[in-house]
Amino acid sequence: MTTEGEFRREDSLGYMVNLLGRLFARALDRRLGKYGVAHGQFPVLLILWEQEGITQSEIARRLDIEQPTVANTLKRMERDDLVTFAADPGNRRQVLIGLTEKGRALKTPLIAEALAVNDRAVEDFEAADRVQFIARLRRMIDALSGPAE
Amino acid sequence: MTTEGEFRREDSLGYMVNLLGRLFARALDRRLGKYGVAHGQFPVLLILWEQEGITQSEIARRLDIEQPTVANTLKRMERDDLVTFAADPGNRRQVLIGLTEKGRALKTPLIAEALAVNDRAVEDFEAADRVQFIARLRRMIDALSGPAE
DNA sequence: GCGCCTTTAATAGCAAGCTATGATAATGCC
DNA sequence: GGCATTATCATAGCTTGCTATTAAAGGCGC
């Protein structure tokens, strides 16, 4: 196998997933930009719309993103008046993250934008195919999530 | 529809594709890192293994990446002794990009690493399902590639 | 209580993506 | 030939990822 240098970009899973991921990010940036929100902030908002008062590392765990990445994103979100940092009186190590009124108010419109991007990507798909596609994505995520090898 | 704030991360196409893309990038970084190559350099190498002597903007066009991004990546690749920059005598605007011996020699091992990552992601898939999955990725890429809207 | 381990966060520094803008060279029209 | 347009590249500055390291606080064993 691996006959010669036959590696076609357009048939490589990793290449295609990476490209599609960038297209999603671009589309989200264009749409969320109207609200002053960048695409990397959206998953953090999704978490906080569900539950406020959690720590930075809890957000990192749920999103499978490293803690310093979350720290930087939260810093920008604080600068943009989306989140608040509150020292936990019971545990002086941790800082509890909450939403500002502005952050809460964006829930409905931003979710609508994200749904629109998702819909556009699969608008010509059968409903069953969308479900199957997501199920397969999940299997691949599980396959790559383990330790290196 | 859009019943209430029911937006589940784990059912969102964009979220899942983004997560899977990061997992691919992490896996590639671990594997290519052994050769001193970072994941963003790999698509550029794929292009150059096919054809040397093309310009920066041609690479950007083929990969659907912005020109300044390619410029920065190429600068790091030159620093790492992977590519060469040669002024085109026939057109003083453009700079022709080529590979060093080191860059050429990496073709076989790096492609093997990338194939291993792709295989790991879909090792429990039927061959037909892999093909179908990639075909659907391609359809989604086409759907999102057009102008904003 | 003390020392060690774990957990949480901060910081530094790098890679890879983006937009916006500017410099310079080539092209093409008149 | 001269001027406007286009093409190519460079640069600045931003966001979002990453790793590695450090500091500080909490928890546990003894």
Side-chain angles (χ1 to χ4, degrees), chain B residues 61-139:
Chain B
R61 258 190 300 275
R62 295 194 195 177
L63 295 179
D64 195 355
I65 280 180
E66 297 302 318
Q67 167 264 322
T69 299
V70 174
N72 284 330
T73 296
L74 285 174
K75 217 177 289 172
R76 285 187 292 270
M77 292 175 79
E78 187 189 28
R79 175 203 61 192
D80 299 341
D81 190 30
L82 293 170
V83 300
T84 58
F85 288 68
D88 180 349
N91 185 333
R92 284 190 301 159
R93 262 181 314 186
Q94 53 195 31
V95 182
L96 306 182
I97 312 296
L99 286 169
T100 61
E101 267 317 309
K102 180 179 168 194
R104 283 190 206 106
L106 286 172
K107 178 173 181 179
T108 305
L110 294 196
I111 284 181
E113 299 288 353
L115 287 172
V117 173
N118 284 345
D119 280 352
R120 189 176 166 220
V122 288
E123 57 193 357
D124 63 333
F125 280 54
E126 301 286 342
D129 289 346
R130 303 184 192 195
V131 173
Q132 189 190 47
F133 188 87
I134 289 194
R136 287 182 179 161
L137 277 177
R138 196 170 292 123
R139 277 168 73 193

Side-chain angles (χ1 to χ4, degrees), chain A residues 18 22 26 55-57 61 67-68 75 93-95:
Chain A
N18 174 274
R22 285 188 290 110
R26 281 185 206 166
T55 65
Q56 195 174 96
S57 8
R61 258 189 300 274
Q67 167 263 323
K75 217 178 287 174
R93 263 180 314 186
Q94 54 194 30
V95 181

